Amino acid sequence: MASVGHLVCRRWLCGGLGRSPAAPGLSRSLTSSSTRRSTMPAWVIDQYGGNDVLRFTKNARFPIINYPNEVIVKVCAAGLNPLDVSMRGGYGAATLSMKRDPLNIKQSGDEFPLTLGRDVSGVIMECGLDVKYFSERDEVWAAIPPWKQGSLAEFVVLSANEVSHKPKSLSHPEAAAIPYVATTAWSALVNTGGLSKDNCAKKRILILGGSGGVGTFAIQMLKAWGAHVTVTCSQDAERLVRGLGADHVVDYTAGPVEGPLSELEKFNLILDNVGGDTERWALDLLKPWCGAKYVTLVTPFLQNTDMLGIADGMMQTAATVATKALKHLVKGVHYRWGFFAPSGPALDDIREMVDAGQIRPVVEETFRFSQVPQALEKMEKGHARGKTVVQVINEGDDS
């Protein structure tokens, strides 16, 4: 974590974290390129629904720099996540609308046309005046916050503190498979779970649902840090997760996993990517009274705010998590919710691990930009074995 703090400090000293808004009418003057465009190709949705709401357009609004710490990235490849399918159907719409418009000035539906895609690997084309940590033509990767326009487009605008230099050892499609799942796993395991490369050695970690994007990344990071990793997955994914370093695998298709898991030595941390009734039995697998944590990425937060509204939904969420945390605290274990958190500095650390050969991308399938509907249809079927990637431009055409 010290390296992340150092990078945050360095970026701040370079002016990369400034958030002063541009003066009215001067948003384009903050860019350093003479290029002036108003439209670009993109896949968008104009309403929430199924795959039929996807629409390709050559006239999507070109992103502009509104803050001096922002950059415009030309998208070479985009990664898809289950969240994209959920967002297409309207999941989290209330909370994300509040994040986009905290003063509630805009009309309902102002988020449309909306571009999906949470992972990006590409090339910086324009920089705001305060951006010193990056330059035009830098190859970068990033995880895009869900309240921002996504990467299924030719260009995307991001804050400099959300961006990191791309690993030199990866192509753009390979790099696009990592940022969102990596920052999600980092947030859950490091920020919430308290793990680091300095304290992870020989700790016993259980990953429930280990063959998806977050699971396959978490296995590799934890093994690089010296942990003992147990994973649940289906039998046909066992070879994949063992190849990534998993020490012990429990096949959920052979029957309920709580039985085989309860026969093992107890765990220091459980990362739950499955949800459902796992909370009923999973916390009994933790070592009591030694700081052990259960961190779940399947939470009712956005569902609560969608159903009850922002205020009531947040109150319901706070009451739920407080009740569960207290219930398990008296048993000597910690109950926590994990959330995605965009972080360029975390991606800086992850880039070093990738280039050192400790982490590799797990790409299940790559689609062309014209095949975005097929890519999302594939995502909707679930049972992922790694990531689904969309190649927006061909390698070598990022000029």
Side-chain angles (χ1 to χ4, degrees), residues 143-359:
I144 304 173
W147 53 88
K148 293 189 175 183
Q149 294 285 17
S151 55
L152 293 178
E154 189 178 9
F155 294 90
V156 66
V157 62
L158 293 164
S159 299
N161 55 306
E162 296 163 351
V163 177
S164 169
H165 289 102
K166 180 182 76 69
K168 296 182 183 298
S169 59
L170 300 184
S171 66
H172 285 295
E174 291 172 328
I178 293 179
Y180 188 83
V181 296
T183 49
T184 300
W186 186 280
S187 175
L189 296 171
V190 178
N191 300 344
T192 304
L195 299 180
S196 72
K197 63 182 178 181
D198 299 320
N199 68 10
C200 210
K202 298 184 179 179
K203 285 190 175 179
R204 291 180 53 78
I205 313 297
L206 170 61
I207 302 175
L208 299 173
S211 63
V214 173
T216 53
F217 176 85
I219 292 169
Q220 297 181 83
M221 184 174 76
L222 292 169
K223 290 306 299 178
W225 288 352
H228 181 283
V229 179
T230 298
V231 170
T232 67
C233 64
S234 64
Q235 185 180 22
D236 62 0
E238 180 173 352
R239 183 176 179 181
L240 168 65
V241 298
R242 285 197 183 276
L244 297 174
D247 298 288
H248 190 83
V249 179
V250 177
D251 173 17
Y252 68 76
T253 63
V257 298
E258 53 263 44
L261 289 173
S262 64
E263 297 174 359
L264 303 176
E265 182 183 343
K266 290 186 181 293
F267 299 94
N268 299 100
L269 186 141
I270 297 174
L271 176 63
D272 187 359
N273 299 300
V274 178
D277 71 342
T278 55
E279 291 184 14
R280 178 178 53 81
W281 49 265
L283 284 99
D284 294 332
L285 304 176
L286 291 169
K287 296 179 180 179
W289 307 110
C290 64
K293 295 183 178 71
Y294 166 89
V295 182
T296 178
L297 290 170
V298 186
T299 76
F301 173 60
L302 293 180
Q303 185 179 17
N304 285 344
T305 54
D306 284 344
M307 293 178 59
L308 305 175
I310 299 298
D312 290 344
M314 293 183 72
M315 289 180 62
Q316 178 65 47
T317 297
T320 300
V321 71
T323 300
K324 291 185 176 183
L326 183 60
K327 171 186 174 182
H328 295 291
L329 186 61
V330 298
K331 298 179 182 179
V333 296
H334 298 275
Y335 176 95
R336 298 285 187 271
W337 286 357
F339 296 95
F340 160 76
S343 175
L347 287 174
D348 288 338
D349 271 13
I350 293 162
R351 178 190 68 233
E352 294 179 2
M353 299 175 73
V354 171
D355 282 336
Q358 296 174 317
I359 293 175

Side-chain angles (χ1 to χ4, degrees), residues 320-397:
T320 300
V321 71
T323 300
K324 291 185 176 183
L326 183 60
K327 171 186 174 182
H328 295 291
L329 186 61
V330 298
K331 298 179 182 179
V333 296
H334 298 275
Y335 176 95
R336 298 285 187 271
W337 286 357
F339 296 95
F340 160 76
S343 175
L347 287 174
D348 288 338
D349 271 13
I350 293 162
R351 178 190 68 233
E352 294 179 2
M353 299 175 73
V354 171
D355 282 336
Q358 296 174 317
I359 293 175
R360 64 178 175 87
V362 182
V363 180
E364 184 177 23
E365 192 169 355
T366 301
F367 292 83
R368 298 189 302 273
F369 194 45
S370 61
Q371 297 177 308
V372 166
Q374 294 94 311
L376 281 167
E377 184 178 0
K378 181 258 177 190
M379 287 290 305
E380 199 164 6
K381 294 178 181 178
H383 302 288
R385 301 292 179 263
K387 288 294 293 289
T388 298
V389 173
V390 175
Q391 188 160 340
V392 178
I393 64 170
N394 294 324
E395 294 285 333
D397 293 344

